[in-house]
């Protein structure tokens, strides 16, 4: 069947949705454990996964409705045979571990907004081609994103503005829009931040740092904030493929402590 819970509030120790069909939660719901591995969980009530709790979300399932999903604990998202579909607003205040494969995506649908809030952590450890896909939905980045595997993962969205911290620690994180940065982007040695050939603007409050690569193809990185090759207190070479424009407020933070490029002094290399 397709049960509906309509009480004003519903405090569940655990919720497990593992069969096909639809469950509707119109009640304001709190839980310590939520599992979604098949069918649809929908409704008008907010669903809160408590601090210290867990949300395990497996592919071939959808969360929908007009209520908001609020995750404060550990969320594990894996895709098995199909995308996971976000068709309601989602605020993450805990940690999301996104590990997908087979070209199946974390898909944010029309009218939905996924917010990684201040203090929230979004760890991306998926295989190449298992992306974060946003059609007519929206992404809001206020917390921390960590790209941790040697794969190419795209964030496919119409707009992308970072107001938190992005750590590209391994592989390639590709932003398939015209991204802007109001926060901090760290690109580690051997890692790449890509833009799919789009321009990247580093706004006045933005910092782009590290010893990795930024690949704009033939587009332009415009710096109105701070570019720090190597990062704070470390010498390094930050490679930019494309064009570079330093605006009137732009700062290039170069450290010099010797005569060896990338070891004792910083380099911003544009080609």
């Amino acid at each position: 069947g397709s049960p509906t819970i309509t009480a004003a509030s519903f405090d569940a120790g655990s919720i497990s949705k593992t069969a096909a069909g639809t469950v509707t939660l119109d009640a304001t719901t709190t839980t310590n454990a939520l599992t979604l591995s098949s069918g649809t969980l929908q409704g008008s009530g907010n669903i809160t996964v408590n601090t210290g709790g867990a949300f395990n979300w497996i592919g071939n399932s959808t969360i929908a409705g007009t209520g908001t999903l609020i995750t404060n604990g550990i969320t594990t998202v894996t895709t098995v045979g199909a995308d996971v579909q976000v068709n309601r607003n989602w605020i993450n205040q805990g940690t999301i571990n996104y590990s997908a494969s087979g070209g199946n995506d974390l898909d944010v649908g029309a009218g939905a907004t996924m917010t990684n809030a201040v203090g929230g952590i979004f760890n991306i450890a998926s295989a190449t081609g298992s992306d974060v896909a946003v059609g007519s939905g929206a992404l809001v980045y206020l917390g921390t994103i960590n790209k941790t595997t040697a794969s190419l993962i795209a964030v496919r969205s119409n707009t992308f503005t970072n107001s938190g911290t992005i750590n590209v620690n391994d592989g390639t994180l590709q932003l398939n829009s015209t991204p802007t940065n109001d926060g901090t982007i760290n690109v580690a040695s051997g890692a790449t931040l890509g833009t799919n050939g789009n321009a990247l603007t580093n706004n006045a409050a933005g910092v782009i740092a590290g010893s990795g690569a930024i690949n704009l193809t033939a587009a332009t990185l415009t710096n109105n904030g701070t570019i720090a090759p190597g990062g704070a207190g470390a010498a390094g070479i930050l490679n930019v493929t494309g064009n570079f424009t330093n605006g009137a407020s732009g700062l290039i933070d170069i450290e010099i402590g010797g005569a060896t490029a990338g070891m004792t002094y910083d380099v911003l290399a544009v080609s």
Side-chain angles (χ1 to χ4, degrees):
S2 300
T4 300
I5 297 174
T6 58
S9 63
F10 178 50
D11 189 356
S14 65
I15 300 171
S16 183
K17 172 75 174 69
T18 58
T22 299
V23 171
T24 301
L25 292 177
D26 289 333
T28 298
T29 301
T30 58
T31 183
N32 290 322
L34 173 62
T35 298
L36 177 60
S37 61
S38 185
T40 298
L41 180 62
Q42 66 177 20
S44 60
N46 292 348
I47 302 172
T48 299
V49 179
N50 295 327
T51 301
F55 175 25
N56 294 311
W57 193 2
I58 302 171
N60 198 31
S61 54
T62 299
I63 190 161
T66 56
T68 298
L69 171 66
I70 303 165
T71 50
N72 296 306
I74 304 295
T75 298
T76 302
V77 180
T78 56
T79 57
V80 179
D83 298 350
V84 292
Q85 300 279 341
V86 184
N87 291 335
R88 70 156 58 194
N89 292 340
W90 180 6
I91 300 173
N92 174 57
Q93 300 173 148
T95 298
I96 299 172
N97 295 317
Y98 174 47
S99 179
S101 59
N104 301 306
D105 301 329
L106 171 61
D107 190 353
V108 182
T113 297
M114 179 179 175
T115 301
N116 192 39
V118 173
I121 298 171
F122 186 10
N123 295 319
I124 301 176
S126 295
T128 295
S130 289
D131 299 329
V132 179
V134 183
S136 300
L139 299 173
V140 177
Y141 292 108
L142 303 173
T144 299
I145 299 173
N146 298 310
K147 168 70 171 63
T148 60
T149 52
S151 57
L152 189 156
I153 300 299
V155 178
R156 306 199 310 266
S157 59
N158 295 324
T159 61
F160 185 97
T161 299
N162 174 52
S163 298
T165 299
I166 298 176
N167 298 311
V168 187
N169 295 323
D170 201 355
T172 298
L173 181 64
Q174 182 165 285
L175 309 178
N176 284 10
S177 62
T178 303
T180 59
N181 180 47
D182 290 309
T184 299
I185 299 175
N186 298 305
V187 187
S189 177
T192 299
L193 176 73
T195 66
N196 199 35
N198 294 297
L200 168 61
T201 300
N202 191 41
N203 288 333
V207 177
I208 298 176
S211 298
I214 300 173
N215 185 2
L216 304 104
T217 312
T220 299
L221 166 58
T222 299
N223 178 44
N224 297 311
T226 300
I227 304 290
I237 300 173
L238 182 62
N239 292 285
V240 176
T241 300
N243 303 301
F244 177 77
T245 298
N246 203 44
S249 61
L251 172 67
I252 303 174
D253 187 357
I254 298 292
E255 296 169 317
I256 300 174
T260 305
M263 297 294 291
T264 58
Y265 70 89
D266 292 328
V267 176
L268 176 63
V270 180
S271 61

